[in-house]
Structures are given as C-alpha cells and as structure tokens.
Amino acid sequence: LAPMLVAIDGPVGAGKSTVARAVAQRLGFTYLDTGAMYRCVALAAIEDEAADHVRDVAVLHIDFEGDRVLLDHSEVTEAIRAPEVSRRSSQVAADPHVREALVDRQRKLTERGDWVAEGRDIGTVVRPDAELKVFLTASDEERAARRAAQTGRGLEQELADLRERDLRDRTREASPLRRAEDAVELDTTGLAFEQVVERIAALVAEVR
Ligand code: C5P
C-alpha cells in the first residue's frame, strides 16, 4: 500500500485529538498533534518572559516520545495543557514566522510512512496533498461541555475561552482555520466517540 496521510482539522474541542489518536491506533498509523507544537512555542514564550531571555522558534527542540511531549528535552506533556498556555498558543500561532517554522517541521515529519495529523491547517496548508481530509465540528455548547469534563473548569468559562480562541484562529491572516474544499465535514454533535472513529476508518478504507 502507498503511504497515506489523514488530515483532521477543526475548531477547539471538536474531539480531534481523541479521535485522531484512536484512528491512528486502529490503522497502525503514527499520530501527530500539531497543536502540541504551537503549545510548546507558547510555553517557551511564557518561560522566556519570566527568565528575561528569548529563544527563537527555529532553535526550539520539540520532540514526541509516544504520548509524551518534550520541549528542549524537558517533559511538558501536562504543562502545555494549562489554560494560560491554550490562550497563548492561539496568539503565537498567528505569527507567520512561527507558522513557517512549524509547518516546515510538520512536512518533514510526515514525509515518510502513514500518518494521522491533526490541527487547524493540515488539509489546507501543511499537507494539501493528504489522501483524506476530515473537518471535525460540533456545537459550541457540546465542545465547551467536553472541555469542561476534561479540565474541571466551568462550562461558561470554557465556552468563552473556546469562542475567543476559535475567533482568533478563523480570522488570522496567516493560514486561518477553514475547511478545505475537498474535506469531508463531520459534525460530531450527539455522536459517540466510537461512531466518529468508525466513520473515519470507513472513509480511509474507501480511499485506500
Ligand atoms: O489543537 P490545540 O487546541 O492543542 O491547538 C492550540 C492552538 O494552536 C490552537 O488554538 C491554534 O491557535 C494553534 N494551532 C494552529 N495550527 C495547527 C494546530 C494548532 O494554529 N495546525
């Protein structure tokens, strides 16, 4: 079989990470969480402010070891999920210099083998040549409820945060979040996670 890339894009809390990870596991593909890379840049920016020095994105080491994320060789798997880092990540992600550096790495990483890559611009910018593109959505309320269940924060807080982040992601000049014309849109509102995984696996089987 020829190498294959499945691109999964969509707004905050549509279930991209959980679904992409499960699809990858089921198909034996490698999973790439590009959001984690933007989160690493955000964490580095926060740390650098506190330390009064600045690392260039080009020299940051971002590594994945299974489910663990390493920034400059330190584990940041948990640290990059902090609400402060989420907010900051959508700010640094609007910087064309940051995007260029990360997109370049994402292309190199996914050059060989079979991948499920997840983010905001995989199907539109990083790998418009992806064999399958899925755009995952869900209602604002459901997305906020899913996040609140993960973070333990209030529903209203999550709703406000995700709307702010989505707006920034959709309206930025550099690679805004949008559905690629040839992406299959999948509204996951009211669907069980297994149903979504099943549907994507079926789409993969169709294009392979
Ligand atoms: O997916 P996740 O919520 O972890 O991504 C964090 C932030 O990184 C997003 O809000 C978005 O601003 C940015 N991002 C991006 N392009 C990607 C992945 C994430 O701009 N491919």
Side-chain angles (χ1 to χ4, degrees), residues 11 16 25 28 54 58 60-61 63 111 130 144 155:
K16 296 186 301 294
Q25 174 142 33
V54 180
L60 288 177
H61 286 273
D63 300 302
E111 224 163 40
L155 198 70

PDB file of all heavy atoms in Angstrom, residues 11 16 25 28 54 58 60-61 63 111 130 144 155:
ATOM      1  N   PRO A  11     -12.193  23.174  14.829  1.00  0.00           N
ATOM      2  CA  PRO A  11     -12.062  24.114  15.945  1.00  0.00           C
ATOM      3  C   PRO A  11     -11.757  23.420  17.266  1.00  0.00           C
ATOM      4  O   PRO A  11     -11.732  22.190  17.339  1.00  0.00           O
ATOM      5  CB  PRO A  11     -13.433  24.790  15.985  1.00  0.00           C
ATOM      6  CG  PRO A  11     -14.373  23.760  15.456  1.00  0.00           C
ATOM      7  CD  PRO A  11     -13.596  23.010  14.409  1.00  0.00           C
ATOM      8  N   LYS A  16     -10.843  16.362  18.012  1.00  0.00           N
ATOM      9  CA  LYS A  16      -9.757  15.994  17.089  1.00  0.00           C
ATOM     10  C   LYS A  16      -8.706  15.072  17.715  1.00  0.00           C
ATOM     11  O   LYS A  16      -8.371  14.050  17.137  1.00  0.00           O
ATOM     12  CB  LYS A  16      -9.035  17.243  16.562  1.00  0.00           C
ATOM     13  CG  LYS A  16      -9.876  18.168  15.732  1.00  0.00           C
ATOM     14  CD  LYS A  16      -9.029  19.290  15.148  1.00  0.00           C
ATOM     15  CE  LYS A  16      -8.323  20.140  16.193  1.00  0.00           C
ATOM     16  NZ  LYS A  16      -9.223  20.930  17.059  1.00  0.00           N
ATOM     17  N   GLN A  25      -4.254   4.583  16.039  1.00  0.00           N
ATOM     18  CA  GLN A  25      -4.024   3.307  16.708  1.00  0.00           C
ATOM     19  C   GLN A  25      -4.697   2.162  15.955  1.00  0.00           C
ATOM     20  O   GLN A  25      -4.106   1.115  15.712  1.00  0.00           O
ATOM     21  CB  GLN A  25      -4.575   3.381  18.132  1.00  0.00           C
ATOM     22  CG  GLN A  25      -4.511   2.049  18.856  1.00  0.00           C
ATOM     23  CD  GLN A  25      -4.161   2.232  20.312  1.00  0.00           C
ATOM     24  OE1 GLN A  25      -4.531   3.239  20.921  1.00  0.00           O
ATOM     25  NE2 GLN A  25      -3.462   1.275  20.874  1.00  0.00           N
ATOM     26  N   GLY A  28      -2.868   1.584  12.670  1.00  0.00           N
ATOM     27  CA  GLY A  28      -1.422   1.385  12.757  1.00  0.00           C
ATOM     28  C   GLY A  28      -0.646   2.532  12.138  1.00  0.00           C
ATOM     29  O   GLY A  28       0.488   2.370  11.694  1.00  0.00           O
ATOM     30  N   VAL A  54      15.057  35.344  25.244  1.00  0.00           N
ATOM     31  CA  VAL A  54      14.163  34.894  24.184  1.00  0.00           C
ATOM     32  C   VAL A  54      14.792  33.790  23.344  1.00  0.00           C
ATOM     33  O   VAL A  54      15.869  33.954  22.791  1.00  0.00           O
ATOM     34  CB  VAL A  54      13.776  36.076  23.254  1.00  0.00           C
ATOM     35  CG1 VAL A  54      12.848  35.604  22.158  1.00  0.00           C
ATOM     36  CG2 VAL A  54      13.125  37.189  24.054  1.00  0.00           C
ATOM     37  N   ALA A  58      13.072  28.707  15.803  1.00  0.00           N
ATOM     38  CA  ALA A  58      13.901  27.863  14.938  1.00  0.00           C
ATOM     39  C   ALA A  58      14.848  26.969  15.739  1.00  0.00           C
ATOM     40  O   ALA A  58      15.270  25.926  15.248  1.00  0.00           O
ATOM     41  CB  ALA A  58      14.690  28.730  13.961  1.00  0.00           C
ATOM     42  N   LEU A  60      14.128  25.850  18.969  1.00  0.00           N
ATOM     43  CA  LEU A  60      13.428  25.056  19.982  1.00  0.00           C
ATOM     44  C   LEU A  60      13.441  23.584  19.594  1.00  0.00           C
ATOM     45  O   LEU A  60      13.197  23.244  18.437  1.00  0.00           O
ATOM     46  CB  LEU A  60      11.963  25.490  20.097  1.00  0.00           C
ATOM     47  CG  LEU A  60      11.636  26.833  20.741  1.00  0.00           C
ATOM     48  CD1 LEU A  60      10.128  27.060  20.677  1.00  0.00           C
ATOM     49  CD2 LEU A  60      12.139  26.883  22.176  1.00  0.00           C
ATOM     50  N   HIS A  61      13.728  22.725  20.572  1.00  0.00           N
ATOM     51  CA  HIS A  61      13.606  21.286  20.326  1.00  0.00           C
ATOM     52  C   HIS A  61      12.236  20.842  20.779  1.00  0.00           C
ATOM     53  O   HIS A  61      11.913  20.965  21.948  1.00  0.00           O
ATOM     54  CB  HIS A  61      14.649  20.512  21.131  1.00  0.00           C
ATOM     55  CG  HIS A  61      16.018  20.629  20.583  1.00  0.00           C
ATOM     56  ND1 HIS A  61      16.492  19.782  19.610  1.00  0.00           N
ATOM     57  CD2 HIS A  61      16.999  21.510  20.856  1.00  0.00           C
ATOM     58  CE1 HIS A  61      17.726  20.141  19.311  1.00  0.00           C
ATOM     59  NE2 HIS A  61      18.061  21.187  20.038  1.00  0.00           N
ATOM     60  N   ASP A  63       9.997  17.481  20.752  1.00  0.00           N
ATOM     61  CA  ASP A  63      10.022  16.058  20.427  1.00  0.00           C
ATOM     62  C   ASP A  63       8.818  15.344  20.995  1.00  0.00           C
ATOM     63  O   ASP A  63       8.316  15.712  22.054  1.00  0.00           O
ATOM     64  CB  ASP A  63      11.293  15.412  21.004  1.00  0.00           C
ATOM     65  CG  ASP A  63      12.551  16.034  20.440  1.00  0.00           C
ATOM     66  OD1 ASP A  63      12.721  16.006  19.207  1.00  0.00           O
ATOM     67  OD2 ASP A  63      13.347  16.584  21.234  1.00  0.00           O
ATOM     68  N   GLU A 111       6.750  13.106   5.966  1.00  0.00           N
ATOM     69  CA  GLU A 111       7.202  12.778   4.611  1.00  0.00           C
ATOM     70  C   GLU A 111       7.115  11.278   4.312  1.00  0.00           C
ATOM     71  O   GLU A 111       6.743  10.874   3.226  1.00  0.00           O
ATOM     72  CB  GLU A 111       8.659  13.212   4.475  1.00  0.00           C
ATOM     73  CG  GLU A 111       9.000  13.915   3.198  1.00  0.00           C
ATOM     74  CD  GLU A 111      10.324  14.655   3.352  1.00  0.00           C
ATOM     75  OE1 GLU A 111      11.250  14.088   3.983  1.00  0.00           O
ATOM     76  OE2 GLU A 111      10.412  15.787   2.870  1.00  0.00           O
ATOM     77  N   ALA A 130      -2.957  15.595   1.196  1.00  0.00           N
ATOM     78  CA  ALA A 130      -3.428  14.481   2.040  1.00  0.00           C
ATOM     79  C   ALA A 130      -4.445  13.632   1.288  1.00  0.00           C
ATOM     80  O   ALA A 130      -5.308  14.156   0.581  1.00  0.00           O
ATOM     81  CB  ALA A 130      -4.063  15.026   3.326  1.00  0.00           C
ATOM     82  N   ALA A 144     -17.797  22.951  24.544  1.00  0.00           N
ATOM     83  CA  ALA A 144     -17.492  23.510  25.867  1.00  0.00           C
ATOM     84  C   ALA A 144     -17.707  22.448  26.949  1.00  0.00           C
ATOM     85  O   ALA A 144     -16.915  22.330  27.886  1.00  0.00           O
ATOM     86  CB  ALA A 144     -18.353  24.733  26.137  1.00  0.00           C
ATOM     87  N   LEU A 155     -18.484  25.515  32.706  1.00  0.00           N
ATOM     88  CA  LEU A 155     -18.951  25.496  31.320  1.00  0.00           C
ATOM     89  C   LEU A 155     -18.867  26.876  30.663  1.00  0.00           C
ATOM     90  O   LEU A 155     -18.421  27.014  29.521  1.00  0.00           O
ATOM     91  CB  LEU A 155     -20.402  25.002  31.315  1.00  0.00           C
ATOM     92  CG  LEU A 155     -20.940  24.509  29.990  1.00  0.00           C
ATOM     93  CD1 LEU A 155     -20.283  23.197  29.602  1.00  0.00           C
ATOM     94  CD2 LEU A 155     -22.445  24.319  30.075  1.00  0.00           C
TER      95      LEU A 155
END
